[in-house]
Amino acid sequence: MSWTQEKIRNFCIIAHIDHGKSTLADRLLQMTGTVDMRNLKEQTLDTMDIERERGITIKAVSVQMRYTAEDGQEYLLHLIDTPGHVDFSYEVSRSLAACEGALLLVDAAQGVQAQTLANAYKAVDQSLEIIPVINKVDLASADVDGARRQIEEVIGLDASDAILTSAKTGLGAREVLEAIVKRVPHPKGHPDDPLRALIYDAKYNTYRGVIVYVRVVDGMMKAGQRVMMMSTGTKYEITEVGIFTPEMQPKPELGTGEVGYLICNIKTLVDTKVGDTVTDAVNPAPKPLPGYEEVKPVVFCGMYPAVTTDYNELRDALDKLKLNDASFEYKADSSDALGLGFRLGFLGLLHMEIIQERLEREFDLTIVATMPNVAYRVTKSNGDIIVIEKASQMPDQAEIDQVEEPYIEADILCPTEYVSAVIELCKKKRGQHVNVTYIDARRCMVVYHIPLAEIVIDFYDKLKSYTRGYGSLDYRLIGYRAGELVKLDILLNDEPVDALSTIVHRDNAQYVGRALAQKLRKLIPRQQFEVAIQAAINRRIIVRETVKAVRKNVTAKCYGGDITRKRKLLEKQKEGKKRMKQVGTVEVPQEAFMALLKVNEESER
Amino acid sequence: MMYNPIMFAVYIHIPFCRTRCAYCDFVSDAIAGGVPDEYVAAVCREMSAFEGPDTAGSVYFGGGTPSLLTPAQVARMLATARRRFCLDAAEITLEANPDDLSRAKLEAWRDAGVNRLSIGVQSFDDDVLRYLGRRHNAAAAQRACEWVAESFENWSLDLIFGAHPVDRWAATLEQARALAPPHVSAYGLTYEAGTPFEQRSADAVDDEAWLALYQQTEEALPGYDHYEISNYAMPGRASRHNLVYWHNEAYAGFGTAAYSFVAGVRARNLLRTRDYLERPGVKAESLVLTEAEVRVETLIQHFRLREGLSTEAYARRFGRRIEDDFGTALDSLKARGLLAEANGRLFPTREGFCLNNEIGLALVGS
Ligand SMILES: Nc1nc2c(ncn2[C@@H]2O[C@H](COP(=O)(O)OP(=O)(O)O)[C@@H](O)[C@H]2O)c(=O)[nH]1
Ligand code: SF4
């Protein structure tokens, strides 16, 4: 039996990390008797280690609840948990598109944060009904009026009827459920139209293949049905449809307005595009649902096995990860310095860190990663335009007409006392001022256009330290802009090391080159021969540092039992050496390839 | 020069000193009087109960400060040793601190059976001796050495370089050479972790200064064979005892914290004398070495020696070809100029002496 749309409510929770989203969701599940606390925790634990450790959601979690409201009627509520990081903002927008309403959850002690703001704006753009919820009112530091004022002034929503909750004690949870029933509009799809379902997420399951998370907008879907992906025209037969409780529970069909999953014979996530429309293959809809975009990687880096012989293992690991995460790209690449490896593309820096960590943890591989960089667009003197994804692809200076780099618009929300610090940071990062708005007496929104290259390096961390943790950031790409960009090369014993080349702004080149050379001098251990480290801009050497040779490394005495200790020590050192990469004759530690990050950190001190 | 391997050696640890020197990481306690008879008795008990080889080519009283032993105590331990081991033609060494010596004592030890004396002079400079926290002064050291030379044909002088003031090293070397000791050990000062000197590691000389001092040492001892990284000997006077270690041969260690290496097992006695006295011979740490570990250690140790290791000796000892076991590492070490090969022997170069740990690093896990 399908539910009538009048009884269905689809909603999500927009919240900043730690404002209590999970706790509130637990409460709602508990109150609707969907699941007891313990089961829910297990479900949450099913997520990746990295998500849990960092307190972010990368993959959407969905759950269906049945709630008998005060009006005596039973309603079907679908909670769609959205990813919680700016790297995944497209996924967020698709999750929102699957809903009619959103709870805007604000920590009464912390107030509105940039991420919340950005997502709230997205929800407003998509005409979602937004229900403000002020959480943690049990805290002594709770400032309910302040939070309310911020919601009104910052987001421009009426917060007079904001629900006050303590997800911890359960206070206000029933009111939240009632508000969802009363205020969130029910879906208004067309049951008799051809099927249109929005893919808002997808997961790979080893046993079942790809599980597609869908919201049925028009028509209905059931097992056995032939369906088509509208972006590609690929056809499949559905083997199973069902709902999340939060475990997967098969159902005969999913009706108009419902949220659930479908399984057909999709082997890899690459064939499942978030934002795509699923339609009936026999009786297709004339038009897909709006808003579909191909997500493109914006940050790139090289990853090489620390031990060359691990190349095949690295490739297998990437193949496997790709099954779970279609949004990163990789292709075989080689570096003179690092040998055979891969060039990877990511949605953002966090995304990159996650992939790297998973490679090391889940596949026990030691990876040498190169500095992350963005893609540059180079117009050559002969008019050709090329896009380069690594510095070593940069043509000779003489052949270059102009170099363009991607820019983002950054929205930074911070307490007023940090405005000048934030502006200073944005300027340092080559930002162009757009505007500063005083949102209320205490908070400001600083908007800057900043090269993405500056953001990928360490902007988040910097922002946190410049604002004592109070600043928050959201951004979106706004296109390419020309800049005075040059290639900075590093030479070890006169040999350029491609993996250490970077593209920097001309004004910073001297400084970065110097700092990088100094940093490398500290990182590269002394070896039997002297190591010369040089930085060069357009082949002109701007700085030279040397790592002096080890002339003496000997234990003066070695009698009786000393040998055991000595062998152990040597074995340990040998282990350490495994994390080194042989570049020509020079042994270079992995960290060296990330040295630029450190350079930026130190320049702040 | 070929050294006849001594198949087996006995080490006796005397874990007592008058006072502790700030740089020293040997196991030893400061005591006021002499070595307790109780300790001597425990060592004798341990020795009598020892299971293993019956012939020893060396007995070595090391410390700590073995010169705190009375001649009677030395005689007692040697008598026990003779009952347990055949010591015919054995080298019997006693380590001594200059401030403990007298002509009479030296003669008495000799009569008790000691035939080699190793004297811990360290320096002939009062400032350096003070820096090291040694009890004796230069004049006492000079006098003690003269007495030792009178009583012993076979004796050794211990020196330390790199201690402050560093630039007095030449004078110490000169004074040492004038005494014509048959054997000299010259160690670079190490700021060992866990000693009071650890805090002073900023004093350590840099590589260049160390090399200069090392070279100075070699040049000041022209008639000597620089047979090991830190050791110099007149012909036939290399320390037979220490060669057992460097050849990675078997040895038994008696006394507090002493190490033994018998039948592929390296084991240590209890670390504290009070525990040792209760349970002499009980092992606190016992490591059964794999054949592969023994092979690596054998190489590492041999490459401390000028003579290195003959490929044939390796094959005889392990029944395998050294090239099969270590080929790549050895080739790279030769390419790096740390090892050389001639007449069927692999041996460290001069640079290989100074970078011995690099050799070890290349060999472990290969
Ligand atoms: N005092 C108090 N703490 C809460 C409340 N809601 C959540 N928390 C705590 O805030 C922290 C973050 O909550 P969580 O639900 O994990 O936040 P999320 O990151 O938004 O999912 C946890 O330690 C919760 O126990 C509340 O209403 N009152
Ligand atoms: S150097 Fe010799 S005398 Fe000084 S504490 Fe160490 S063992 Fe004792």
Side-chain angles (χ1 to χ4, degrees):
Chain A
M1 178 215 80
S2 282
W3 286 68
T4 66
Q5 294 187 67
E6 285 69 29
K7 294 290 170 56
I8 299 175
R9 299 292 182 272
N10 297 324
F11 72 103
C12 57
I13 306 177
I14 296 171
H16 192 74
I17 291 163
D18 277 346
H19 282 200
K21 182 164 77 174
S22 324
T23 315
L24 181 65
D26 286 359
R27 283 288 167 203
L28 300 183
L29 294 191
Q30 224 186 349
M31 294 204 55
T32 54
T34 309
V35 76
D36 65 40
M37 280 300 235
R38 202 162 30 88
N39 282 344
L40 184 75
K41 276 283 174 281
E42 275 166 15
Q43 163 69 19
T44 320
L45 288 180
D46 202 31
T47 55
M48 287 180 267
D49 288 350
I50 301 160
E51 291 187 323
R52 246 177 297 139
E53 277 168 30
R54 302 197 180 200
I56 48 167
T57 319
I58 300 166
K59 288 274 156 196
V61 173
S62 302
V63 59
Q64 184 183 88
M65 300 173 259
R66 287 173 183 218
Y67 173 61
T68 306
E70 283 164 4
D71 63 10
Q73 308 273 340
E74 193 179 35
Y75 291 86
L76 199 60
L77 311 186
H78 292 122
L79 166 59
I80 296 172
D81 188 14
T82 54
H85 192 274
V86 59
D87 280 4
F88 308 101
S89 63
Y90 175 68
E91 281 82 346
V92 175
S93 81
R94 293 305 84 200
S95 295
L96 294 179
C99 302
E100 277 78 25
L103 302 179
L104 175 70
L105 186 72
V106 177
D107 184 325
Q110 301 290 322
V112 176
Q113 305 288 317
Q115 190 77 73
T116 322
L117 201 53
N119 288 342
Y121 285 150
K122 283 196 190 100
V124 171
D125 282 350
Q126 303 195 6
S127 313
L128 264 54
E129 175 67 29
I130 299 176
I131 303 170
V133 176
I134 298 172
N135 189 35
K136 304 201 190 179
V137 295
D138 58 300
L139 290 178
S141 54
D143 176 6
V144 173
D145 288 340
R148 201 177 263 142
R149 209 168 40 239
Q150 283 176 24
I151 294 172
E152 295 196 339
E153 290 170 19
V154 181
I155 309 177
L157 290 172
D158 178 8
S160 59
D161 52 359
I163 303 168
L164 306 187
T165 61
S166 167
K168 195 171 153 189
T169 65
L171 175 86
R174 181 156 304 276
E175 279 174 68
V176 170
L177 288 168
E178 281 300 314
I180 292 168
V181 168
K182 292 207 184 85
R183 290 167 58 182
V184 174
H186 62 76
K188 297 189 180 68
H190 306 284
D192 303 323
D193 280 5
L195 168 68
R196 287 202 299 174
L198 170 72
I199 300 181
Y200 68 87
D201 202 358
K203 257 185 204 159
Y204 178 78
N205 179 296
T206 329
Y207 305 105
R208 319 213 48 191
V210 174
I211 294 158
V212 187
Y213 289 42
V214 287
R215 152 75 195 268
V216 180
V217 176
D218 295 320
M220 52 97 86
M221 60 166 58
K222 58 175 189 279
Q225 189 175 1
R226 296 274 303 162
V227 290
M228 181 174 81
M229 303 295 166
M230 291 188 82
S231 74
T232 57
T234 334
K235 293 175 179 144
Y236 300 96
E237 186 178 316
I238 298 182
T239 54
E240 184 178 315
V241 297
I243 56 160
F244 300 102
T245 66
E247 292 84 21
M248 292 198 302
Q249 193 182 95
K251 288 273 163 186
E253 60 183 47
L254 286 180
T256 313
E258 283 200 69
V259 171
Y261 67 89
L262 74 90
I263 299 175
C264 45
N265 254 325
I266 307 180
K267 291 280 179 307
T268 79
L269 276 183
V270 184
D271 302 326
T272 323
K273 309 238 184 270
V274 169
D276 200 355
T277 304
V278 185
T279 191
D280 190 274
V282 184
N283 180 22
K287 263 175 43 183
L289 297 161
Y292 171 69
E293 284 170 34
E294 272 292 329
V295 277
K296 280 270 161 230
V298 293
V299 178
F300 303 86
C301 84
M303 285 197 190
Y304 297 83
V307 187
T308 337
T309 47
D310 284 351
Y311 175 81
N312 287 332
E313 280 156 56
L314 176 56
R315 193 195 46 219
D316 292 348
L318 287 170
D319 288 344
K320 286 206 184 102
L321 278 189
K322 180 80 181 175
L323 290 176
N324 288 301
D325 181 353
S327 53
F328 84 94
E329 289 179 356
Y330 63 98
K331 51 179 182 251
D333 194 11
S334 69
S335 146
D336 296 339
L338 299 173
L340 288 182
F342 296 89
R343 193 86 202 150
L344 285 80
F346 308 94
L347 300 179
L349 198 62
L350 175 84
H351 189 208
M352 173 182 119
E353 285 173 25
I354 289 168
I355 297 289
Q356 186 177 356
E357 259 182 67
R358 291 187 64 185
L359 286 172
E360 302 212 331
R361 279 195 213 181
E362 295 170 28
F363 298 93
D364 196 26
L365 286 167
T366 311
I367 307 288
V368 177
T370 62
M371 278 296 301
N373 61 266
V374 301
Y376 294 90
R377 196 153 69 189
V378 181
T379 311
K380 302 218 272 184
S381 334
N382 64 9
D384 287 357
I385 294 178
I386 54 169
V387 174
I388 62 166
E389 285 172 11
K390 57 177 181 175
S392 54
Q393 293 169 331
M394 187 88 144
D396 219 63
Q397 189 67 17
E399 296 171 34
I400 297 176
D401 206 30
Q402 76 162 5
V403 183
E404 291 166 290
E405 60 180 328
Y407 267 68
I408 52 128
E409 181 168 289
D411 297 336
I412 299 161
L413 192 61
C414 66
T416 48
E417 61 262 43
Y418 297 112
V419 166
S420 53
V422 168
I423 289 177
E424 186 197 321
L425 173 64
C426 291
K427 278 192 187 148
K428 225 179 221 164
K429 300 294 182 182
R430 301 192 281 128
Q432 290 155 15
H433 181 91
V434 178
N435 65 48
V436 175
T437 329
Y438 284 76
I439 282 166
D440 60 20
R442 292 188 303 147
R443 295 150 68 82
C444 261
M445 173 72 98
V446 179
V447 182
Y448 259 79
H449 288 170
I450 304 177
L452 177 64
E454 300 287 345
I455 299 284
V456 301
I457 291 189
D458 58 353
F459 195 83
Y460 287 121
D461 297 345
K462 283 284 115 58
L463 180 64
K464 290 289 167 205
S465 75
Y466 271 65
T467 62
R468 296 178 182 241
Y470 289 115
S472 54
L473 164 80
D474 188 70
Y475 69 77
R476 67 200 148 276
L477 282 166
I478 52 168
Y480 277 83
R481 291 186 188 176
E484 288 285 303
L485 299 164
V486 293
K487 186 169 129 202
L488 177 72
D489 286 313
I490 295 290
L491 294 80
L492 294 183
N493 285 349
D494 298 326
E495 288 296 324
V497 180
D498 55 0
L500 287 172
S501 294
T502 53
I503 291 170
V504 288
H505 193 267
R506 188 181 296 281
D507 293 349
N508 298 339
Q510 283 278 344
Y511 163 75
V512 173
R514 231 167 261 288
L516 194 53
Q518 279 167 13
K519 186 73 209 170
L520 288 169
R521 176 171 54 84
K522 289 186 199 139
L523 286 173
I524 296 176
R526 293 168 68 203
Q527 350 223 321
Q528 209 182 325
F529 312 99
E530 185 174 283
V531 179
I533 302 164
Q534 293 166 307
I537 302 167
N538 295 331
R539 304 231 185 98
R540 194 171 52 81
I541 305 288
I542 52 162
V543 61
R544 182 197 160 101
E545 294 278 343
T546 48
V547 179
K548 287 210 288 181
V550 203
R551 307 288 308 278
K552 169 233 157 190
N553 179 10
V554 59
T555 317
K557 299 185 184 188
C558 194
Y559 301 121
D562 299 337
I563 180 69
T564 306
R565 215 181 334 150
K566 182 162 169 181
R567 181 172 47 79
K568 293 261 166 73
L569 199 75
L570 291 172
E571 279 165 0
K572 214 164 113 196
Q573 285 175 14
K574 185 87 167 195
E575 227 11 74
K577 270 197 178 246
K578 284 213 184 116
R579 299 186 76 89
M580 303 257 194
K581 202 77 201 177
Q582 186 90 24
V583 178
T585 51
V586 185
E587 280 181 333
V588 182
Q590 280 175 4
E591 306 93 276
F593 299 99
M594 287 287 197
L596 199 60
L597 284 176
K598 301 284 183 325
V599 165
N600 279 276
E601 270 163 34
E602 272 154 35
S603 70
E604 302 296 332
R605 289 186 196 132
Chain B
M1 193 182 355
M2 266 298 275
Y3 296 99
N4 295 321
I6 309 156
M7 290 316 295
F8 185 70
V10 168
Y11 176 80
I12 296 173
H13 192 64
I14 307 301
F16 306 101
C17 296
R18 280 267 171 275
T19 52
R20 294 302 316 268
C21 308
Y23 62 91
C24 169
D25 74 337
F26 292 128
V27 175
S28 177
D29 294 327
I31 50 159
V35 175
D37 278 331
E38 191 192 353
Y39 182 79
V40 172
V43 167
C44 289
R45 248 190 298 146
E46 187 192 2
M47 209 160 14
S48 308
F50 173 75
E51 286 172 28
D54 301 321
T55 303
S58 160
V59 176
Y60 194 102
F61 293 93
T65 311
S67 49
L68 293 176
L69 292 166
T70 63
Q73 288 173 323
V74 172
R76 182 174 166 195
M77 285 187 275
L78 283 176
T80 308
R82 285 208 165 82
R83 273 195 296 278
R84 178 61 191 77
F85 304 103
C86 167
L87 295 183
D88 293 350
E91 173 189 275
I92 298 175
T93 308
L94 185 129
E95 280 182 350
N97 277 353
D99 48 330
D100 292 328
L101 298 188
S102 69
R103 277 200 167 98
K105 228 175 176 177
L106 285 162
E107 301 278 311
W109 283 328
R110 196 193 58 204
D111 295 343
V114 175
N115 56 24
R116 185 171 181 270
L117 208 108
S118 169
I119 176 164
V121 165
Q122 319 313 356
S123 173
F124 288 111
D125 188 286
D126 285 341
D127 291 329
V128 172
L129 288 168
R130 252 193 304 277
Y131 177 83
L132 291 173
R134 302 291 306 200
R135 296 165 53 80
H136 61 269
N137 60 23
Q142 171 69 24
R143 200 170 52 234
C145 287
E146 286 164 10
W147 292 338
V148 170
E150 284 168 20
S151 307
F152 289 90
E153 209 180 303
N154 196 0
W155 63 286
S156 175
L157 190 62
D158 267 16
L159 297 173
I160 290 179
F161 65 85
H164 288 262
V166 211
D167 55 355
R168 314 266 178 88
W169 181 235
T172 283
L173 280 173
E174 191 43 50
Q175 200 166 335
R177 187 175 56 165
L179 288 160
H183 186 278
V184 176
S185 298
Y187 303 109
L189 176 61
T190 314
Y191 294 77
E192 300 282 358
T195 69
F197 258 46
E198 188 179 356
Q199 259 72 56
R200 288 205 232 165
S201 57
D203 283 3
V205 297
D206 65 17
D207 287 12
E208 273 62 37
W210 187 95
L211 279 175
L213 295 167
Y214 193 69
Q215 187 168 346
Q216 233 177 344
T217 313
E218 281 185 317
E219 285 165 2
L221 301 170
Y224 292 77
D225 176 18
H226 186 179
Y227 74 104
E228 194 262 359
I229 292 167
S230 308
N231 288 279
Y232 302 78
M234 301 261 213
R237 294 299 191 192
S239 162
R240 296 172 66 191
H241 184 83
N242 289 338
L243 280 171
V244 168
Y245 299 139
W246 298 323
H247 288 153
N248 209 25
E249 305 273 359
Y251 50 88
F254 302 116
T256 307
Y259 274 99
S260 300
F261 179 45
V262 181
V265 179
R266 187 171 294 112
R268 181 173 54 66
N269 283 348
L270 297 174
L271 261 184
R272 282 187 306 202
T273 298
R274 106 168 98 79
D275 299 332
Y276 171 78
L277 287 175
E278 278 174 25
R279 286 171 293 161
V282 167
K283 302 302 176 191
E285 197 184 280
S286 195
L287 195 66
V288 183
L289 296 171
T290 64
E291 258 241 2
E293 285 169 336
V294 174
R295 289 196 293 267
V296 170
E297 290 182 2
T298 302
L299 258 66
I300 293 178
Q301 293 292 66
H302 273 87
F303 292 146
R304 294 188 67 89
L305 295 170
R306 163 79 68 227
E307 60 166 15
L309 177 63
S310 87
T311 52
E312 192 232 342
Y314 183 90
R316 227 183 309 119
R317 179 159 174 179
F318 298 109
R320 312 161 58 102
R321 281 155 39 94
I322 196 166
E323 308 87 76
D324 296 343
D325 290 340
F326 297 100
T328 331
L330 294 173
D331 285 347
S332 106
L333 287 168
K334 282 188 268 180
R336 289 166 66 188
L338 299 179
L339 287 184
E341 188 168 13
N343 306 322
R345 302 193 75 84
L346 282 153
F347 52 91
T349 59
R350 168 64 208 281
E351 211 182 348
F353 261 3
C354 303
L355 293 171
N356 174 268
N357 288 340
E358 300 283 332
I359 297 179
L361 204 53
L363 294 171
V364 292
S366 75

